[in-house]
Amino acid sequence: MTKQARSGPASVWNNIEGIAFGGDYNPEQWPVSVRLEDLELMQEAGVNFLSVGIFSWALLEPAEGQYDFGWLDEVMDNLHSIGVKVALATATAAPPAWLVRRHPEILPVTADGTVLGPGSRRHYTPSSAVYRRYAKGITRMLAERYKDHPALALWHVDNELGCHVSEFYGDEDAAAFRGWLERRYGTIEALNSAWGTAFWSQNYGSFEEILPPGLAPSTLNPGQQLDFQRFNSWILMDYYRELVAVLREITPTVPCTTNLMASSATKAMDYFSWAKDLDVIANDHYLVAADPERHIELAFSADLTRGIAGGDPWILMEHSTSAVNWQPRNQPKMPGEMLRNSLAHVGRGADAVMFFQWRQSFAGSEKFHSAMVPHGGRETRVWREVVDLGAALKLLEPVRGSRVESRVAIVFDYEAWWASEIDSKPSIDVRYLDLLRAFHRSLFLRAVSVDMVHPSATLEGYDLVLVCTLYSVTDEAAANIAAAAAAGATVLVTYFSGIVDEKDHVRLGGYPGAFRELLGVRVEEFRPLLAGSQLKLSDGTISSIWSEHIHLEGAEALQTFTEYPLDGVPSLTRRPVGSGAAWYLATFPDSNGIESVVDRLLGESGVAPVAAADPGVELTRRRLADGRSFLFAINHNRSGSSVQAVGTDLLSGERFDGTVPAGGVAVIAED
Ligand code: GAL
């Protein structure tokens, strides 16, 4: 999983000592006296990395062509004076009012034709040539001004591309969509064939006739919908690349990135396809306070981010010290939760821990969002925890550059996520992430480490490969997965996988098309369940959502359905393949059923937990190229818990005595 070293931009890590620590710094909200106090507080907390100027365009260029860099000069110099490195933003995530007034055509348009106005942020469409021209203008000014500044370590391009608005339906977007389609298909005949337009009289005579899939009397062409998702993901990256081209020209050695939002909640961008254009992967992650298993969702998002990074260390560019302000009820974090969250990200491969934002605003939309310096200043729990976190991260310097070890891969594909959830499927209850997260959760609770891997990436070195709801799959990816089984891995494929190709065309001759041979089964008919119904399986497992009529064609049945009309029909099968095996799961088992499947898969593949520990302790291991390893043990229990490990706890500096205190964390440099 090592990516090719890139020529050109230097590694951001060359510029930073230890684990990076800091956050978004928006000093333009504050008078000089406060900015000076910031410097003191930053040193107290051990901050060494900040993202600066993300939403500051209107202050940097208050009127077209008139610039005021004075305040930013001062901020950059002051940060440099205390040894802080800067991820300098292109300032393009919120166009200034003068630009909108002069060029309202830059505003984004929704599917129903509504123009989204200014007064907030992210009010532009990435297709707009005018917007790109102005965005490149301010980017160039910033690059020219700060190209030699010693604090500059990274370009932070725009911000969370696709946040708030990720589908663009205006006239200029439609033209860009047509251009993208023409490049993809070459001829209108090829497009007609890909979209299956012979059905419902949807045939196009030329590319000019095509529109984005807006509002229509009934369901829209699925090929058109899928391509529109691909296009929107692409156009955002195309805009990013245009800004990066300016930065490369002026600062060829300064790395560039943009902050992703990889999590269970962000579907619109294919981050695996974006990764090659980012010099380092950066991610933002926010917990959903109402989710009692939010630490498991965090682990899922961090594992996904590491997968996008190809296993390389990544930047946690934003998370929150405590409450956010955009959920219905914004509960603060529990005492110690911020440390557990931060070190869970580090345990899963982050070499930078950053927050939105440094100092809590007194005005504006986010004044009730937590920050590193709360409204109450030093006399707050959050500030004390921030200072403690800074100290803890300093002690973790030896961990930097190490990689997370996993023997289990979960195949993850945004395209399959999109395609499987377009309308008019056998059941609305088939959601791409549901089974995938059920397996991830089970492995998390067992302290088994998991990598998220794109279906076309190498699966070498994994003993267990889980392929969940991979509805669409290319021939190459299907062959890649089959090769993993042949080479000795245990591969599990779940229902509604391998059904269509990348054009969303059904693979004919029996489901699950692309995996039929590998699995040694043929599915004759899907039997999704009605809402609330359950099935009993032969070993007593209860399942829901899905069943199907399977015929064995080389596989053996390990478990069967027991109810009419599928009584005796296999629900779980296994076929030996090469030195490995291919398993197939044809229903959605309840959590006991998932546990029993996972027991069997781990048993066969010989994959063990990262270490032995009490339940409720999250475990990951990072290893350096020289073999030294670090065991991250995060105790989510409110009592001390035991972990079997031998070594020195980097956080306490003492020999690890086998117990992690209630709610605490140990990072054990193993003997
Ligand atoms: C992110 C955004 C930040 C801030 C944060 C609040 O989406 O990048 O600017 O708004 O959310 O949680």
Side-chain angles (χ1 to χ4, degrees):
M1 294 236 305
T2 315
K3 274 200 284 187
Q4 290 289 307
R6 293 185 175 85
S7 58
S11 163
V12 66
W13 308 115
N14 294 349
N15 275 314
I16 294 165
E17 274 171 38
I19 305 285
F21 178 50
D24 285 10
Y25 186 35
N26 301 306
E28 61 272 31
Q29 307 171 86
W30 300 99
V32 171
S33 58
V34 175
R35 294 185 212 167
L36 291 177
E37 190 202 32
D38 284 341
L39 301 176
E40 239 174 75
L41 293 173
M42 284 169 186
Q43 285 171 285
E44 195 173 320
V47 163
N48 62 0
F49 197 36
L50 294 168
S51 295
V52 179
I54 296 174
F55 298 101
S56 60
W57 190 349
L59 293 179
L60 293 172
E61 191 178 359
E64 184 169 355
Q66 286 173 32
Y67 298 94
D68 175 11
F69 288 111
W71 65 270
L72 186 54
D73 291 350
E74 170 221 295
V75 166
M76 293 290 283
D77 291 349
N78 286 344
L79 293 179
H80 176 61
S81 75
I82 60 164
V84 169
K85 294 294 175 188
V86 171
L88 187 58
T90 55
T92 48
W98 56 259
L99 175 53
V100 179
R101 182 160 174 243
R102 175 136 189 237
H103 290 290
E105 70 274 23
I106 68 168
L107 294 170
V109 178
T110 62
D112 65 0
T114 303
V115 176
L116 300 178
S120 177
R121 62 177 178 181
R122 302 212 52 76
H123 44 288
Y124 68 83
T125 169
S127 312
S128 165
V130 168
Y131 189 66
R132 288 185 183 210
R133 177 156 52 80
Y134 280 92
K136 281 190 291 182
I138 185 69
T139 298
R140 180 172 293 279
M141 292 300 291
L142 282 159
E144 290 289 1
R145 187 156 193 105
Y146 298 107
K147 62 181 179 211
D148 298 320
H149 200 286
L152 175 65
L154 179 67
W155 286 110
H156 182 299
V157 177
D158 210 284
N159 189 64
E160 290 190 343
L161 296 166
C163 181
H164 310 318
V165 196
S166 57
E167 292 183 337
F168 304 92
Y169 293 87
D171 290 347
E172 208 168 350
D173 308 310
F177 181 42
R178 287 189 284 270
W180 181 88
L181 290 168
E182 207 163 342
R183 290 191 297 281
R184 182 176 176 89
Y185 292 108
T187 65
I188 197 67
E189 291 74 24
L191 176 138
N192 280 317
S193 146
W195 288 7
T197 54
F199 192 67
W200 279 8
S201 178
Q202 292 172 346
N203 202 65
Y204 292 98
S206 76
F207 285 97
E208 282 67 56
E209 293 168 3
I210 297 173
L211 293 169
L215 299 188
S218 181
T219 50
L220 288 149
N221 181 295
Q224 183 186 13
Q225 293 188 63
L226 182 58
D227 273 340
F228 192 58
Q229 287 183 289
R230 289 177 174 136
F231 160 76
N232 282 301
S233 176
W234 171 84
I235 192 87
L236 287 162
M237 224 342 76
D238 188 59
Y239 159 67
Y240 167 90
R241 281 190 292 259
E242 201 163 335
L243 297 189
V244 167
V246 173
L247 297 169
R248 286 278 196 266
E249 184 194 321
I250 302 163
T251 57
T253 60
V254 179
C256 300
T257 194
T258 187
N259 42 345
L260 310 181
M261 302 172 283
S263 80
S264 60
T266 301
K267 174 180 171 188
M269 281 71 67
D270 180 355
Y271 289 143
F272 279 96
S273 78
W274 285 21
K276 59 182 179 316
D277 288 303
L278 273 45
D279 296 319
V280 58
I281 296 298
N283 200 49
D284 297 350
H285 185 263
Y286 290 94
L287 298 175
V288 173
D291 177 1
E293 295 199 336
R294 52 190 182 268
H295 59 297
I296 306 184
E297 197 285 329
L298 182 157
F300 167 82
S301 302
D303 289 343
L304 177 57
T305 305
R306 185 176 72 256
I308 293 163
D312 289 343
W314 48 278
I315 296 175
L316 176 64
M317 190 67 101
E318 291 179 21
H319 68 153
S320 67
T321 56
S322 191
V324 299
N325 68 323
W326 42 264
Q327 289 170 14
R329 290 160 206 88
N330 296 294
Q331 218 187 24
K333 288 191 178 176
M334 293 297 164
E337 190 173 0
M338 181 185 75
L339 177 80
R340 291 194 296 281
N341 293 164
S342 295
L343 296 193
H345 283 290
V346 176
R348 291 171 193 278
D351 272 358
V353 173
M354 303 175 69
F355 295 92
F356 173 84
Q357 59 178 328
W358 162 250
R359 186 185 277 275
Q360 188 170 13
S361 305
F362 68 92
S365 283
E366 300 194 293
K367 58 184 172 295
F368 292 114
H369 192 296
S370 61
M372 297 172 80
V373 184
H375 287 154
R378 275 195 176 96
E379 299 308 315
T380 52
R381 172 181 73 87
V382 166
W383 173 251
R384 286 188 291 274
E385 291 195 14
V386 163
V387 173
D388 290 348
L389 175 62
L393 291 175
K394 273 216 171 68
L395 299 168
L396 296 189
E397 180 161 358
V399 171
R400 205 178 92 152
S402 59
R403 296 166 73 88
V404 175
E405 281 187 344
S406 311
R407 290 173 60 199
V408 181
I410 292 184
V411 166
F412 194 98
D413 186 21
Y414 285 95
E415 291 228 351
W417 189 354
W418 298 340
S420 62
E421 294 183 2
I422 288 173
D423 55 61
S424 314
K425 293 294 194 315
S427 169
I428 58 164
D429 296 326
V430 177
R431 310 294 301 170
Y432 178 68
L433 290 184
D434 286 355
L435 255 180
L436 194 153
R437 287 196 60 202
F439 280 106
H440 184 273
R441 173 182 186 276
S442 165
L443 294 163
F444 173 94
L445 293 173
R446 292 160 182 262
V448 171
S449 183
V450 175
D451 286 346
M452 306 282 193
V453 182
H454 188 265
S456 62
T458 178
L459 292 166
E460 247 169 65
Y462 293 110
D463 297 305
L464 177 59
V465 176
L466 304 178
V467 181
C468 302
T469 326
L470 196 69
Y471 162 74
S472 63
V473 66
T474 62
D475 292 349
E476 296 70 38
N480 186 40
I481 290 163
T490 293
V491 175
L492 172 78
V493 178
T494 73
Y495 63 83
F496 216 47
S497 294
I499 306 300
V500 300
D501 64 13
E502 61 273 31
K503 294 182 198 139
D504 198 23
H505 289 188
V506 172
R507 293 171 176 276
L508 301 175
Y511 315 121
F515 297 120
R516 210 168 56 216
E517 210 175 297
L518 168 70
L519 299 168
V521 300
R522 182 172 57 84
V523 176
E524 180 183 330
E525 190 176 42
F526 300 143
R527 281 201 163 266
L529 274 59
L530 294 177
S533 327
Q534 292 188 325
L535 291 174
K536 198 165 176 193
L537 309 178
S538 54
D539 61 0
T541 295
I542 304 297
S543 76
S544 61
I545 297 184
W546 191 266
S547 65
E548 53 190 15
H549 191 175
I550 296 183
H551 300 280
L552 297 178
E553 292 187 345
E556 61 164 328
L558 302 175
Q559 179 200 56
T560 56
F561 295 107
T562 62
E563 290 168 44
Y564 178 78
L566 295 181
D567 23 341
V569 169
S571 51
L572 179 68
T573 68
R574 177 180 181 278
R575 174 177 169 249
V577 181
S579 49
W583 296 56
Y584 183 59
L585 177 61
T587 188
F588 197 137
D590 66 4
S591 57
N592 289 336
I594 294 276
E595 293 315 315
S596 111
V597 174
V598 171
D599 277 342
R600 290 171 170 212
L601 295 171
L602 292 177
E604 176 171 301
S605 58
V607 174
V610 169
D614 283 342
V617 182
E618 175 178 350
L619 295 174
T620 54
R621 179 175 286 110
R622 293 184 60 166
R623 193 180 291 280
L624 286 165
D626 66 10
R628 279 181 295 154
S629 65
F630 305 94
L631 180 70
F632 282 71
I634 299 174
N635 185 2
H636 295 285
N637 300 317
R638 290 177 60 190
S639 56
S641 301
S642 71
V643 175
Q644 277 179 33
V646 181
T648 302
D649 180 4
L650 294 178
L651 297 176
S652 68
E654 316 258 311
R655 292 294 295 169
F656 178 62
D657 66 2
T659 304
V660 186
V665 182
V667 180
I668 302 145
E670 296 175 296
D671 287 353

